[in-house]
Amino acid sequence: MADSVVANWDGHDYQARVFWLRATELRRKDRAYVVEVSYEADGPKGFDDVVVRYSPARKGRRIFEIQSEHFQIKFHVNEGGRFGYADLIEPEFIGAKKVSILQRLRDAVRSSPAGSTFWLVTIDRIRDDDPLRELLSGRDSSFEVDKLRVGKTDNSKMGAIRKLWREHLELENDEELFSILDCFHIKHGAKNLEEMREEVDAAFYLVNLQGGENTWEFNLDGVIKGLKSVGKNKFTRDEFEAFVKERDWIRTDDDDRHPVSVRSFGDASGGYLATPSDSDLSLLDKFEARHLKAGSDWTSEIQPEVEDFLIKISKEHKRIRLSLEAHASIAFLAGSVLHSKSGINVEMLQKGRLPTTIWRSDDMSTGPRLAMTDQIIGQGQDVAVVVSLARNASRDVTDFVQRNSPQIGRILHFVPPDGHRQSSVAGGTHAANLADQVTDAVSELGLRSPARVHIFVAGPNAFSFFLGQHREALGKVVLYEFDFGGTREYHPSFEIG
């Protein structure tokens, strides 16, 4: 009984964190179209956990403009759940007795105004071998209806899915089914409860609000309970602004920075629960978790997209607050674009085991310099730079270089004097100083073209960003990513310079 009570509490807390994540958009000038966010709202049954309304309607990938988004949040204490397309017709899948999620969707679409969309958010994952995975867009978790149209008969793979769902919903034809699914998103493999805490903290920092405190009980969970008890379950932009001022949540430091985010990994089905804008770059459709999808390319696709996005941002905003839930290579590339001579003042959101914090190159954080070893391993003219801040990358890099890169004849290894750990970098100034140290060491080698510097970083993205700001001093660089979940070895990403 006690376990079920805790699970129920956790489910409400998860729902609350989705609400806070979306409510922060009410403070974003670049998302002025977000006009109301509500919690356990009056709305279509089954999709009323969180509701976001837009005016003017939000443009997206669909042919229709989106007036509102309605969320059902399905949370489990453990992350082992798996499901497939057949489960969507089973009431038990959403903890119901008589009505399935697809029946809820059908009724919601029929009873809602045009331009309404509906989300199922769950930490459960679609089974790897289930065709439902093929039907969801990697960019926004929506149904790619055209893929469901493939196959002329009910005996084809997609035809069998159409038949099962069409008959379950008592529809006359496939077109009715397609029109319903065109309004549907499934976010599977969503972040767990603690990760959502980090997301809320980061979102609050982006809009200059005080985040949750570093306590056992995340204080924002309790706030939503208090609001519910007095019947307050929705905020307009003006109401939310008055609320955060009353709570004294507005941070007193610089509040004129423009929030910018770049994301290349996150949730399995499409990442962040916030609506994309011109200030947010999502590369999630090019990755499966942290792994580059087959057919995608770092240099010809990802590099120009990141560069073009940041160049556009730099022309419009001179003070930005940058969130990078992205690969170290992308953080380095961002630094190479927003370098110290670009005139852009950048502060960064840094996530970790502690609550999200703001890192700036002038935040006056201090820490020790790195110890360096210099190892000659061959006759090649290239140099490998290994920075082991969060974990010891030396052995993996040495093994990779000896097997794959005879052009690398030297390895510089940098590590904190008291050893690698998650908290080895104290803040922005410390990270910038360490980047300066690494750059100075490389410069002292006096490399000449065509020699290249191969960079392997195991550490916070803020360090990679500051190192990227020195790209010109480093010369031609090749960046690498470590495949934690697959081959457990390094793979090259960008070559810059």
Side-chain angles (χ1 to χ4, degrees):
M1 179 67 72
D3 287 344
S4 64
V5 171
V6 172
N8 188 49
W9 289 345
D10 285 345
H12 284 295
D13 289 346
Y14 195 92
Q15 180 182 341
R17 294 174 193 187
V18 173
F19 167 79
W20 289 121
L21 195 59
R22 299 309 304 266
T24 59
E25 297 177 78
L26 294 168
R27 294 203 88 219
R28 290 190 61 161
K29 295 177 182 178
D30 60 323
R31 293 180 179 169
Y33 50 81
V34 181
V35 296
E36 183 184 277
V37 181
S38 54
Y39 176 90
E40 294 189 356
D42 296 330
K45 189 172 182 179
F47 291 96
D48 54 0
D49 289 341
V50 174
V51 177
V52 184
R53 301 190 186 280
Y54 304 106
S55 181
R58 182 173 68 81
K59 296 176 175 59
R61 56 169 290 275
R62 293 181 171 86
I63 59 173
F64 63 87
E65 296 181 341
I66 300 173
Q67 301 278 355
S68 61
E69 292 182 301
H70 305 254
F71 294 83
Q72 175 170 142
I73 315 297
K74 182 174 178 285
F75 176 79
H76 287 148
V77 174
N78 65 67
E79 298 183 36
R82 296 292 184 269
F83 67 98
Y85 76 90
D87 294 290
L88 302 187
I89 72 169
E90 301 295 337
E92 294 81 6
F93 174 63
I94 55 171
K97 294 183 178 180
K98 295 182 178 180
V99 182
S100 71
I101 183 66
L102 283 183
Q103 288 171 325
R104 295 275 197 215
L105 175 66
R106 176 200 61 197
D107 296 344
V109 171
R110 288 175 175 175
S111 64
S112 300
S116 303
T117 59
F118 305 90
W119 287 73
L120 169 65
V121 178
T122 175
I123 67 170
D124 293 346
R125 296 178 183 273
I126 299 172
R127 287 188 292 272
D128 291 342
D129 60 349
D130 195 277
L132 181 58
R133 294 182 72 93
E134 304 172 30
L135 295 174
L136 296 181
S137 165
R139 183 169 289 275
D140 65 356
S141 308
S142 62
F143 265 83
E144 297 191 318
V145 172
D146 286 345
K147 292 184 178 180
L148 190 59
R149 295 177 183 273
V150 174
K152 295 183 178 180
T153 70
D154 290 343
N155 294 324
S156 64
K157 181 170 71 171
M158 292 301 168
I161 300 174
R162 296 194 302 265
K163 180 176 186 296
L164 179 70
W165 290 351
R166 184 183 65 241
E167 292 180 352
H168 173 68
L169 296 178
E170 300 177 325
L171 302 175
E172 293 185 2
N173 54 62
D174 287 342
E175 291 303 320
E176 286 188 72
L177 176 65
F178 299 150
S179 66
I180 292 171
L181 294 175
D182 198 37
C183 303
F184 195 31
H185 302 249
I186 298 179
K187 180 177 290 298
H188 70 110
K191 291 180 179 294
N192 63 36
L193 189 62
E194 185 60 24
E195 289 169 333
M196 284 297 291
R197 173 178 177 151
E198 295 173 359
E199 287 285 350
V200 172
D201 263 341
F204 267 56
Y205 266 101
L206 270 177
V207 296
N208 213 54
L209 296 178
Q210 301 285 354
E213 297 175 359
N214 185 22
T215 60
W216 285 106
E217 181 181 7
F218 191 50
N219 64 319
L220 294 175
D221 296 338
V223 172
I224 204 71
K225 294 182 178 73
L227 287 170
K228 185 178 178 182
S229 69
V230 298
K232 179 64 175 176
N233 70 334
K234 65 181 178 180
F235 288 98
T236 62
R237 297 183 77 87
D238 289 343
E239 289 170 341
F240 190 68
E241 191 65 20
F243 177 76
V244 299
K245 287 180 179 177
E246 177 187 347
R247 287 271 173 169
D248 198 25
W249 283 357
I250 299 175
R251 298 206 322 271
T252 56
D253 52 357
D254 295 336
D255 61 357
D256 63 340
R257 292 182 182 272
H258 186 75
V260 177
S261 70
V262 179
R263 188 171 288 243
S264 61
F265 54 75
D267 298 331
S269 63
Y272 196 31
L273 283 171
T275 307
S277 76
D278 290 342
S279 299
D280 303 284
L281 175 63
S282 173
L283 302 165
L284 295 167
D285 59 324
K286 296 176 175 59
F287 294 88
E288 182 69 33
R290 297 197 181 199
H291 313 299
L292 190 68
K293 285 184 177 179
S296 294
D297 183 75
W298 284 99
T299 301
S300 65
E301 291 184 69
I302 297 171
Q303 183 172 343
E305 189 167 353
V306 174
E307 290 175 336
D308 291 347
F309 170 75
L310 292 175
I311 289 171
K312 180 177 182 294
I313 289 291
S314 68
K315 291 178 179 178
E316 298 174 354
H317 307 281
K318 298 305 178 185
R319 293 168 57 81
I320 67 173
R321 181 171 294 126
L322 180 61
S323 174
L324 290 171
E325 186 156 357
H327 297 73
S329 300
I330 293 174
F332 183 98
L333 179 61
S336 73
V337 175
L338 304 174
H339 53 82
S340 56
K341 296 180 181 179
S342 67
I344 310 302
N345 189 300
V346 181
E347 66 178 26
M348 302 185 64
L349 292 183
Q350 184 60 50
K351 297 181 182 180
R353 291 180 178 175
L354 298 176
T356 300
T357 53
I358 292 288
W359 285 19
R360 293 195 301 261
S361 60
D362 61 352
D363 62 20
M364 305 304 291
S365 57
T366 60
R369 286 168 61 83
L370 300 172
M372 186 190 83
T373 59
D374 185 351
Q375 180 185 10
I376 303 298
I377 62 169
Q379 300 299 316
Q381 61 183 337
D382 289 5
V383 175
V385 172
V386 186
V387 186
S388 297
L389 299 173
R391 69 176 184 87
N392 189 350
S394 178
R395 184 173 62 180
D396 290 323
V397 172
T398 301
D399 178 64
F400 171 81
V401 168
Q402 290 177 338
R403 289 187 295 108
N404 300 284
S405 304
Q407 71 274 25
I408 297 177
R410 190 174 196 167
I411 297 178
L412 302 184
H413 183 214
F414 297 86
V415 66
D418 54 352
H420 57 85
R421 63 186 189 280
Q422 291 292 328
S423 58
S424 62
V425 185
T429 300
H430 188 204
N433 289 341
L434 297 183
D436 292 347
Q437 179 190 347
V438 172
T439 303
D440 290 344
V442 173
S443 297
E444 289 176 4
L445 298 178
L447 300 178
R448 296 290 182 267
S449 181
R452 299 177 299 173
V453 178
H454 301 253
I455 297 178
F456 305 80
V457 175
N461 271 346
F463 169 81
S464 293
F465 176 87
F466 290 129
L467 188 62
Q469 290 190 315
H470 293 291
R471 206 285 308 160
E472 287 191 5
L474 292 168
K476 181 175 288 188
V477 301
V478 183
L479 302 167
Y480 292 82
E481 294 293 334
F482 189 74
D483 184 1
F484 284 98
T487 61
R488 296 198 62 79
E489 66 176 26
Y490 281 96
H491 299 278
S493 56
F494 304 128
E495 181 167 338
I496 309 173

